[in-house]
Amino acid sequence: MDIQDDKKSKLKKRPPNNWMVLLIASLILIGFYFVFNPQDKNIEKVDLSTFIEYVNNEEIDQIKIKDNKIFLTLKKDKNGNTIEKYAIKEEGQSVYEILKDVPEELKNPQNLKIEVIDTEGGSIWKDLLLSFLPFLLLIGFFVFMMRQAQNSNNQAMSFGKSRATLVDKETQRTTFKDVAGCKEAKEEMIEIVDFLKNPKKYNQMGAKIPKGVLLVGPPGTGKTLLARAVAGEANVPFFNISGSEFVEMFVGVGASRVRDLFKKAKKNGPCIVFIDEIDAVGRQRGAGLGGGHDEREQTLNQILTEMDGFEQGTNIIVMAATNRPDVLDPALLRPGRFDRRITVDIPDISDREAILKVHSKNKPLAANVDLNKISRQTPGFTGADLENLMNEAAILSARQDKKKVTMKELEEAIEKVLMGPERKSRRLSKEEKKITAYHEVGHAIVGHLLKKCDPVHKISIVSRGMALGVTWFMPEEEKHLYSESKFNDELASLLGGHVAEKLIFGEVTTGPSNDLERATKMARRMVTEYGMSSLGPTIYGEKNHEVFLGRDFGHTKNYSEEIASKIDLEVKKIVERAYTRAKEVLQNNLEKLKEIADKLIIKETLTREEFLLFFIEKTPIPAAVKDKLNK
């Protein structure tokens, strides 16, 4: 049976909703009420004297008596219309007593038709229904409560069922065309797709299908999308579940759900089971203080058994994603379980451009949009960041009632994603605006004049997020290795704002606090991790900091207190050296600092081209030319 047919059959067997049963029962009761209590038509009421007058004038065609009501059907008028009226008599009074003064010939049955409607038979059933109605309502209430309790029991018993969702191959199919970048990761995945499509080719060579594929990378790099693309390319069932959905408050639920998940997968094999954020259940066992989480460890043990236990040849590929591979249990990473470990890294320039093209397919772009330039302005952006960037640009364009997304909206979106939206409500005083301008220009001048710093892209004193201003440096090319001289130049640039405030105003404000924090962290990493100090090429302390409480308590530093004191001195020495370099640069360019700051106060934002104009050497005009110009 096909998976979709199986779904439909399950939907057909599903019991009707309790509220629907109650609605039907209510409608039946209302129907009984209207049957036994018919409503009178909207007819005119007359008194008994008018009734007697109608009889004397021979205007009545027929009389019907029902209980204490007399229904009159008058003779048709000139237009052939029949008129009905009614009168009320006393209880037990006969109609002949009312018509006693009417001549006998007018009461003759040939002239006056009188019919009495019997209502005694209906009243018995009505009385019975009214008598038993409260009991029927009580019985219905108890049945409803029992069914609710039964459903609650069913839900309690369903805790052990897997929460994995089966992705619809037709409506939600994803292929490698939908995944931009990730070239190396896609090449690794192509082998798995080929194995799922042509297993005989590999089985003839004695090759076994990989049991598991672990996708490792920062958040937002496309690990989940890549897993779905594999299922779409292979055209096999794809079960998706999060690691946090295994463990509940009941003991044994996690292991039960793992068993149920793999049971479903075996029925639909060959297939792919994707566990997102597997570190939620795959953390190293016995790492917590006083023992680990028992339920989580049982769940992990069941996953290990299902992936590589006594049962063989299941044709199930388990794919998992995490951004914390350092905390996973070693038994989960051994060959036979997760055989392949694929790194999905942050995209480079070409990958970013390809990702931008994918996310701009349904967005109208203006002719001046250069996605290559945007990709160069977004180093460190993940695929999710780039998708958010294009969405923000589209929102900005729609807000301004534009028909197409232009380069201006894309550049504004980059700043919004990186630093937050403009805070136009934050009004700076003249003094604060001046201090912020000198601070940001100090960063820019030091960074521009030191060779190893990235080029200045923009300077702004418009508040964004928590920052009063920003100096934006833009690398010209992707870098993977950083030298000691680059760190020293960047440290000096970080301290440029602090130095500028000290030189111009004679004191510093709280503005450079974040710069000092970043500079101190960078200097400490140079000493303890990179060996860029007089302490030599030695790493001090753990590079990968574990999050387990037990390891924190059991951890001892791998250096003495004497070395710790030397580390502090080295960090201070590096920061002070950077401060001295920044001070020298700004003292030698004090006039330029004031000139650029004054311009920034007026314009609030300076682009790269506007900033570089201040550093163009102007050719001096000869004296003879000056004289001619003066004449």
Side-chain angles (χ1 to χ4, degrees), residues 176 184-193 195-196 208-217 223-224 226-228 230-231 238 262 271-278 303 307 316-322 328 332-344:
F176 285 145
E184 294 80 6
K186 283 197 286 190
E187 288 175 3
E188 291 283 337
M189 295 297 192
I190 287 172
E191 292 184 11
I192 297 171
V193 171
F195 198 104
L196 289 169
K208 296 181 180 178
I209 187 171
K211 292 290 184 67
V213 178
L214 182 65
L215 299 172
V216 178
K223 300 184 290 294
T224 306
L226 197 59
R228 289 185 60 181
V230 172
F238 181 76
F262 279 87
C271 67
I272 293 175
V273 174
F274 179 65
I275 306 174
D276 201 6
E277 305 296 343
I278 194 174
I303 292 174
M307 288 187 70
I316 300 172
I317 296 179
V318 180
M319 299 185 71
T322 181
L328 295 180
L332 200 62
L333 301 175
R334 75 161 175 82
R337 290 196 174 119
F338 281 105
D339 301 291
R340 298 198 176 184
R341 181 170 172 173
I342 299 174
T343 301
V344 186

Side-chain angles (χ1 to χ4, degrees), residues 10-24:
K10 289 180 180 178
L11 289 173
K12 290 177 182 177
K13 296 177 182 177
R14 186 177 295 173
N17 197 339
N18 290 325
W19 292 108
M20 187 62 69
V21 175
L22 285 176
L23 180 61
I24 294 171

Side-chain angles (χ1 to χ4, degrees), residues 278-469:
I278 194 174
D279 51 277
V281 291
R283 286 175 179 262
Q284 189 167 345
R285 292 167 291 181
L289 184 64
H293 191 300
D294 234 1
E295 174 61 15
R296 181 182 55 76
E297 290 190 4
Q298 289 182 22
T299 306
L300 175 58
N301 291 338
Q302 189 63 44
I303 292 174
L304 297 174
T305 305
E306 294 288 348
M307 288 187 70
D308 189 22
F310 285 102
E311 189 173 0
Q312 301 292 327
T314 55
N315 283 342
I316 300 172
I317 296 179
V318 180
M319 299 185 71
T322 181
N323 52 9
R324 292 295 311 276
D326 54 308
V327 302
L328 295 180
D329 194 89
L332 200 62
L333 301 175
R334 75 161 175 82
R337 290 196 174 119
F338 281 105
D339 301 291
R340 298 198 176 184
R341 181 170 172 173
I342 299 174
T343 301
V344 186
D345 211 345
I346 293 174
D348 56 15
I349 291 178
S350 59
D351 288 344
R352 289 198 297 271
E353 186 177 357
I355 294 170
L356 287 170
K357 288 179 180 177
V358 169
H359 294 304
S360 62
K361 282 182 179 178
N362 62 338
K363 297 175 178 63
L365 300 182
N368 68 336
V369 171
D370 185 359
L371 294 180
N372 182 266
K373 185 178 179 181
I374 297 297
S375 67
R376 291 181 179 277
Q377 294 180 11
T378 52
F381 273 47
T382 63
D385 293 330
L386 295 170
E387 182 181 8
N388 185 33
L389 164 65
M390 296 301 299
N391 186 55
E392 289 291 344
I395 291 172
L396 288 171
S397 301
R399 189 185 300 168
Q400 297 172 15
D401 296 327
K402 291 187 176 181
K403 300 299 182 183
K404 293 186 178 182
V405 180
T406 65
M407 200 70 177
K408 181 183 176 183
E409 283 76 42
L410 285 168
E411 290 181 345
E412 285 183 15
I414 293 173
E415 296 179 12
K416 187 176 180 180
V417 171
L418 282 175
M419 296 167 284
E422 291 185 7
R423 300 186 63 181
K424 297 179 181 179
S425 59
R426 178 183 281 182
R427 299 292 181 182
L428 299 179
S429 64
K430 289 184 179 180
E431 185 66 20
E432 287 179 333
K433 196 172 183 181
K434 186 177 180 181
I435 293 172
T436 305
Y438 275 98
H439 179 97
E440 298 303 334
V441 174
H443 286 306
I445 290 178
V446 176
H448 176 71
L449 295 176
L450 296 179
K451 296 180 180 180
K452 293 298 180 72
C453 289
D454 295 326
V456 177
H457 178 69
K458 184 181 288 187
I459 314 169
S460 176
I461 55 173
V462 178
S463 298
R464 285 184 177 273
M466 299 299 293
L468 297 178

Side-chain angles (χ1 to χ4, degrees), residues 343-618:
T343 301
V344 186
D345 211 345
I346 293 174
D348 56 15
I349 291 178
S350 59
D351 288 344
R352 289 198 297 271
E353 186 177 357
I355 294 170
L356 287 170
K357 288 179 180 177
V358 169
H359 294 304
S360 62
K361 282 182 179 178
N362 62 338
K363 297 175 178 63
L365 300 182
N368 68 336
V369 171
D370 185 359
L371 294 180
N372 182 266
K373 185 178 179 181
I374 297 297
S375 67
R376 291 181 179 277
Q377 294 180 11
T378 52
F381 273 47
T382 63
D385 293 330
L386 295 170
E387 182 181 8
N388 185 33
L389 164 65
M390 296 301 299
N391 186 55
E392 289 291 344
I395 291 172
L396 288 171
S397 301
R399 189 185 300 168
Q400 297 172 15
D401 296 327
K402 291 187 176 181
K403 300 299 182 183
K404 293 186 178 182
V405 180
T406 65
M407 200 70 177
K408 181 183 176 183
E409 283 76 42
L410 285 168
E411 290 181 345
E412 285 183 15
I414 293 173
E415 296 179 12
K416 187 176 180 180
V417 171
L418 282 175
M419 296 167 284
E422 291 185 7
R423 300 186 63 181
K424 297 179 181 179
S425 59
R426 178 183 281 182
R427 299 292 181 182
L428 299 179
S429 64
K430 289 184 179 180
E431 185 66 20
E432 287 179 333
K433 196 172 183 181
K434 186 177 180 181
I435 293 172
T436 305
Y438 275 98
H439 179 97
E440 298 303 334
V441 174
H443 286 306
I445 290 178
V446 176
H448 176 71
L449 295 176
L450 296 179
K451 296 180 180 180
K452 293 298 180 72
C453 289
D454 295 326
V456 177
H457 178 69
K458 184 181 288 187
I459 314 169
S460 176
I461 55 173
V462 178
S463 298
R464 285 184 177 273
M466 299 299 293
L468 297 178
V470 63
T471 303
W472 192 0
F473 294 92
M474 183 67 62
E476 293 181 338
E477 58 184 10
E478 297 284 342
K479 293 181 180 178
H480 304 285
L481 296 175
Y482 294 85
S483 62
E484 183 178 355
S485 59
K486 180 170 177 57
F487 280 126
N488 287 327
D489 286 356
E490 288 189 354
L491 279 171
S493 177
L494 278 172
L495 298 174
H498 184 278
V499 174
E501 289 186 21
K502 187 75 172 177
L503 287 175
I504 301 299
F505 304 101
E507 61 178 356
V508 294
T509 63
T510 57
S513 61
N514 181 255
D515 299 330
L516 298 177
E517 181 184 355
R518 290 169 59 195
T520 305
K521 285 183 178 179
M522 187 183 295
R524 185 166 292 276
R525 295 186 73 180
M526 289 174 66
V527 176
T528 59
E529 294 183 24
Y530 306 139
M532 297 177 180
S533 70
S534 61
L535 294 181
T538 306
I539 293 179
Y540 298 100
E542 296 289 337
K543 187 176 181 181
N544 293 325
H545 303 285
E546 297 293 345
V547 295
F548 298 117
L549 187 63
R551 291 189 177 182
D552 288 341
F553 274 96
H555 172 69
T556 57
K557 291 189 294 186
N558 59 359
Y559 52 88
S560 64
E561 292 298 326
E562 182 182 357
I563 295 296
S565 178
K566 289 182 179 180
I567 290 172
D568 293 338
L569 289 174
E570 285 294 321
V571 171
K572 185 179 181 182
K573 187 189 299 183
I574 292 172
V575 174
E576 287 181 346
R577 185 170 66 237
Y579 182 90
T580 303
R581 292 184 67 201
K583 188 175 182 180
E584 290 176 358
V585 171
L586 291 178
Q587 282 179 335
N588 294 332
N589 296 272
L590 200 57
E591 293 300 323
K592 207 171 287 294
L593 172 65
K594 294 178 181 179
E595 186 182 356
I596 300 174
D598 291 340
K599 188 72 171 179
L600 182 60
I601 291 171
I602 297 171
K603 293 198 65 177
E604 292 190 341
T605 300
L606 292 177
T607 63
R608 173 175 171 79
E609 291 76 15
E610 292 171 335
F611 175 73
L612 291 178
L613 287 176
F614 291 96
F615 293 90
I616 295 176
E617 295 296 335
K618 296 178 181 178

Side-chain angles (χ1 to χ4, degrees), residues 101-298:
D101 295 331
V102 176
E104 289 296 329
E105 62 272 12
L106 296 179
K107 294 188 288 185
N108 191 326
Q110 295 179 353
N111 296 326
L112 187 65
K113 299 177 183 178
I114 300 176
E115 180 185 354
V116 179
I117 300 173
D118 184 17
T119 58
E120 291 299 322
S123 63
I124 296 174
W125 291 105
K126 181 173 71 174
D127 292 340
L128 287 174
L129 180 63
L130 292 175
S131 300
F132 285 103
L133 184 61
F135 295 101
L136 291 174
L137 291 174
L138 284 174
I139 292 171
F141 176 75
F142 281 116
V143 170
F144 172 74
M145 294 300 292
M146 290 176 66
R147 292 191 64 181
Q148 287 293 103
Q150 184 179 3
N151 289 338
S152 300
N153 291 333
N154 291 337
Q155 290 177 5
M157 296 302 293
S158 68
F159 268 107
K161 299 297 182 182
S162 170
R163 302 286 180 88
T165 56
L166 180 62
V167 178
D168 192 347
K169 293 185 290 183
E170 300 300 327
T171 60
Q172 303 180 29
R173 185 174 180 181
T174 305
T175 62
F176 285 145
K177 293 180 181 179
D178 303 314
V179 183
C182 308
K183 300 182 186 69
E184 294 80 6
K186 283 197 286 190
E187 288 175 3
E188 291 283 337
M189 295 297 192
I190 287 172
E191 292 184 11
I192 297 171
V193 171
D194 193 33
F195 198 104
L196 289 169
K197 285 184 175 180
N198 307 301
K200 292 182 180 180
K201 180 173 69 174
Y202 293 90
N203 291 333
Q204 289 174 355
M205 300 300 296
K208 296 181 180 178
I209 187 171
K211 292 290 184 67
V213 178
L214 182 65
L215 299 172
V216 178
T221 50
K223 300 184 290 294
T224 306
L225 184 64
L226 197 59
R228 289 185 60 181
V230 172
E233 289 287 341
N235 199 24
V236 295
F238 181 76
F239 290 93
N240 179 29
I241 191 170
S242 173
S244 60
E245 294 184 50
F246 286 111
V247 181
E248 291 275 0
M249 60 185 292
F250 298 104
V251 177
V253 168
S256 176
R257 287 182 177 175
V258 172
R259 287 191 293 270
D260 188 63
L261 171 62
F262 279 87
K263 183 179 178 182
K264 289 180 180 177
K266 289 169 188 174
K267 290 180 180 178
N268 294 283
C271 67
I272 293 175
V273 174
F274 179 65
I275 306 174
D276 201 6
E277 305 296 343
I278 194 174
D279 51 277
V281 291
R283 286 175 179 262
Q284 189 167 345
R285 292 167 291 181
L289 184 64
H293 191 300
D294 234 1
E295 174 61 15
R296 181 182 55 76
E297 290 190 4
Q298 289 182 22

